[in-house]
């Protein structure tokens, strides 16, 4: 039997690494207690962290601990800092630090300068910030802004498009039946039921005189999909993902897709679905919310209720007529529409939402829940096939909308 022991050198090395990590976390204040000095790359990383989270002097914005952040509002200094954090940290950490910098220090206005946009790490949150700036973006920055938005959209399409098309195509194929299927397209459950009269007891089998299978490669439109998206400021990430999904669904010939965005006004962006970047620049983040008005518009465009799926993406904070909103949802369901209510379409975790409205929708048989982009294709398949939706498990304090 072999035993291993830690040598003093190994123990010292482990302790030193532990102190190094704590020193980077604690930030080097007088009372932090590590007594550890940083050099080289560690010192540069610490400087980048301190500029955002540490004591940077009176020019910074106060954070919740009372210390001041020290980036200031100078575009050159912020651009250098953005370059530094991209050097020292992985892109996922960079995106979090960028978000903190813009939220904590109020640096969103600096995104109006092309040099700043070229320095940032593009992500969904950055796109949301750019869209919220809207018409404030000057002409000299618009092309750079579009390039940033396009990169994020293309990355999302690479991640989501193929799986979405494959998943929904399977569901749409299953909705079409044929009596001359290929072997691998036979629906055996329906075939057996249709041929029970041909049961041969002496052989213990059914003779399948009539085969029933799933149709393939049908070109006609089978389902209508209406995406009704709240573009209030809190829904920025959902607007980005909904625009990408809208473009993907519009590219499928067996679906007829409509994209409607709303605040207190309603805008139909269906004609721009061939390019989700155009869709995003057609939105206007911020403002109030009138869900009832948006649903009234969507309802007026439904021509085949039994073959229509309406997806409302909203935190349900209604500034319009609450009872009118609920009556419209009830009327659409009664006509045969499959109605889906998503509190968010993003990876951001549990959203804030109006629990009373979520509970009212649940009472109508419409569970309201947050949906990640990866789950969205499964939600759409369930709606198309008129099955129960794959509602994620909720924590006890989130069950109002279930």
């Amino acid at each position: 039997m072999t035993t291993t022991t830690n040598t003093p050198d190994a123990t010292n090395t482990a302790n030193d690494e532990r102190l190094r990590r704590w020193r980077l976390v604690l930030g080097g204040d007088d009372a932090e207690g590590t007594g550890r000095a940083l050099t080289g790359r560690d010192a540069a990383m610490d400087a980048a962290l301190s500029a955002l989270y540490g004591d940077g002097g009176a020019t910074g914005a106060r954070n919740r601990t009372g210390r001041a952040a020290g980036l200031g509002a100078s575009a050159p200094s912020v651009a250098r800092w953005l370059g530094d954090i991209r050097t020292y940290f992985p892109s996922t950490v960079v995106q979090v630090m960028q978000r903190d910098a813009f939220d904590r220090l109020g640096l969103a206005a600096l995104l109006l300068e092309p040099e700043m946009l070229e320095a940032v790490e593009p992500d969904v949150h950055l796109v949301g910030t750019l869209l919220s700036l809207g018409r404030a973006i000057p002409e000299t920055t618009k092309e750079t802004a579009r390039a940033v938005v396009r990169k994020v959209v293309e990355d999302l399409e690479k991640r989501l498009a193929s799986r979405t098309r494959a998943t929904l195509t399977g569901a749409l194929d299953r909705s079409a039946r044929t009596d001359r299927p290929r072997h691998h397209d036979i629906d055996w459950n329906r075939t057996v039921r249709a041929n029970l009269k041909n049961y041969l007891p002496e052989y213990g089998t059914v003779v399948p005189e009539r085969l029933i299978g799933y149709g393939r490669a049908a070109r006609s439109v089978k389902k209508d999909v209406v995406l009704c998206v709240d573009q209030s400021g809190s829904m920025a990430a959902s607007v980005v993902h909904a625009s990408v999904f809208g473009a993907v669904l519009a590219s499928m010939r067996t679906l007829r897709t409509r994209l409607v965005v709303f605040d207190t006004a309603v805008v139909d962006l269906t004609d721009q679905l061939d390019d989700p970047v155009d869709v995003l620049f057609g939105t206007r983040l911020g403002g109030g919310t009138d869900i009832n008005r948006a649903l009234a518009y969507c309802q007026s465009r439904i021509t085949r209720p039994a073959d229509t799926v309406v997806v409302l993406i909203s935190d349900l904070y209604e500034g319009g007529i609450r009872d009118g909103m609920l009556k419209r949802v009830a009327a659409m369901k009664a006509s045969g529409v499959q109605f889906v209510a998503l509190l968010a379409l993003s990876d951001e975790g549990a959203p804030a939402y109006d629990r009373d409205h979520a509970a009212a929708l649940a009472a109508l048989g419409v569970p309201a829940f947050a949906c990640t982009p990866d789950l969205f294709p499964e939600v759409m398949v369930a709606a198309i096939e008129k099955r129960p939706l794959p509602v994620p498990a909720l924590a006890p304090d989130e069950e109002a909308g279930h």
Side-chain angles (χ1 to χ4, degrees):
M1 178 176 178
T2 302
T3 59
T4 60
T5 58
N6 290 328
T7 65
D9 287 346
T11 301
N12 290 337
T13 299
N15 287 338
D16 188 61
E17 176 63 14
R18 190 176 297 113
L19 285 174
R20 168 185 169 272
R21 289 174 176 268
W22 274 114
R23 166 61 183 80
L24 286 168
V25 169
L26 295 173
D29 287 348
D30 293 340
E32 52 103 280
T34 66
R36 180 72 157 76
L38 300 176
T39 60
R41 185 181 179 88
D42 286 348
M45 291 173 62
D46 189 57
L49 290 166
S50 295
L52 176 57
Y53 302 110
D55 185 356
T59 59
R62 291 279 169 183
N63 62 24
R64 284 174 293 183
T65 66
R67 295 185 301 179
L71 275 177
S74 161
S77 67
V78 175
R80 283 194 299 272
W81 178 80
L82 289 168
D84 287 344
I85 64 174
R86 293 174 76 171
T87 299
Y88 300 125
F89 302 100
S91 62
T92 52
V93 176
V94 169
Q95 291 170 10
V96 172
M97 293 178 72
Q98 283 179 175
R99 198 181 323 156
D100 285 350
F102 290 115
D103 290 345
R104 291 157 57 95
L105 306 181
L107 302 179
L110 295 181
L111 292 177
L112 302 180
E113 303 182 26
E115 296 79 6
M116 277 290 297
L117 275 180
E118 291 169 357
V120 294
E121 182 79 18
D123 70 342
V124 169
H125 303 284
L126 176 62
V127 171
T129 302
L130 286 172
L131 297 180
S132 69
L133 294 172
R135 296 185 180 88
I137 299 177
E139 289 297 326
T140 55
T141 308
K142 282 184 177 178
E143 285 306 311
T144 307
R146 287 187 71 88
V148 169
V149 173
R150 187 167 296 283
K151 183 180 187 309
V152 173
V153 166
E154 288 175 350
D155 288 345
L156 286 174
E157 285 183 317
K158 288 176 184 176
R159 170 188 159 194
L160 302 170
S162 295
R163 178 170 171 266
T164 300
R165 289 192 187 97
T167 302
L168 268 66
T169 297
L172 292 164
D173 283 346
R174 288 192 293 274
S175 69
R177 305 291 174 178
T178 176
D179 57 5
R180 299 184 62 184
R182 292 171 290 182
H183 178 75
H184 61 278
D185 290 335
I186 295 174
D187 183 339
W188 287 108
N189 289 331
R190 287 175 175 260
T191 295
V192 168
R193 285 198 298 270
N195 289 279
L196 286 176
K197 63 182 179 181
N198 299 321
Y199 178 68
L200 301 178
E202 63 271 26
Y203 294 102
T205 189
V206 170
V207 177
E209 291 183 350
R210 178 187 170 210
L211 298 177
I212 300 175
Y214 305 123
R216 298 286 171 178
R219 294 179 180 272
S220 61
V221 173
K222 294 192 178 75
K223 296 288 181 180
D224 294 340
V225 175
V226 181
L227 300 179
C228 185
V229 186
D230 184 343
Q231 62 176 353
S232 57
S234 60
M235 301 295 293
S238 297
V239 171
V240 175
H241 287 111
S243 298
V244 172
F245 277 119
V248 172
L249 298 180
S251 71
M252 301 178 64
R253 288 176 294 184
T254 49
L255 291 177
R256 180 163 49 215
T257 303
R258 182 178 295 275
L259 177 63
V260 176
V261 299
F262 67 93
D263 42 33
T264 53
V266 180
V267 180
D268 193 327
L269 297 176
T270 303
D271 291 343
Q272 300 178 42
L273 276 176
D274 58 332
D275 188 344
V277 176
D278 286 341
V279 170
L280 287 169
F281 278 98
T283 63
R284 185 183 60 193
L285 288 177
T289 309
D290 192 338
I291 303 173
N292 177 58
R293 185 175 184 180
L295 291 181
Y297 177 84
C298 295
Q299 188 178 25
S300 71
R301 296 301 186 270
I302 295 174
T303 58
R304 305 189 305 158
D307 292 313
T308 298
V309 177
V310 174
V311 183
L312 172 65
I313 303 174
S314 173
D315 55 16
L316 302 180
Y317 288 110
E318 170 66 314
I321 304 171
R322 176 185 186 274
D323 290 342
M325 173 188 77
L326 296 174
K327 286 178 181 177
R328 289 193 190 283
V329 175
M332 281 189 269
K333 280 186 61 65
S335 70
V337 171
Q338 295 298 109
F339 198 97
V340 179
L342 302 182
L343 302 170
L345 179 56
S346 73
D347 290 310
E348 296 183 322
Y353 63 95
D354 189 304
R355 294 173 182 272
D356 291 339
H357 287 163
L361 286 176
L364 295 175
V366 180
F369 57 98
C371 177
T372 65
D374 288 334
L375 179 64
F376 184 74
E378 303 302 328
V379 170
M380 291 302 300
V381 165
I384 287 170
E385 296 184 338
K386 301 185 178 182
R387 294 189 284 104
L389 301 177
V391 179
L394 298 177
D397 64 340
E398 296 180 293
E399 292 182 351
H402 193 287

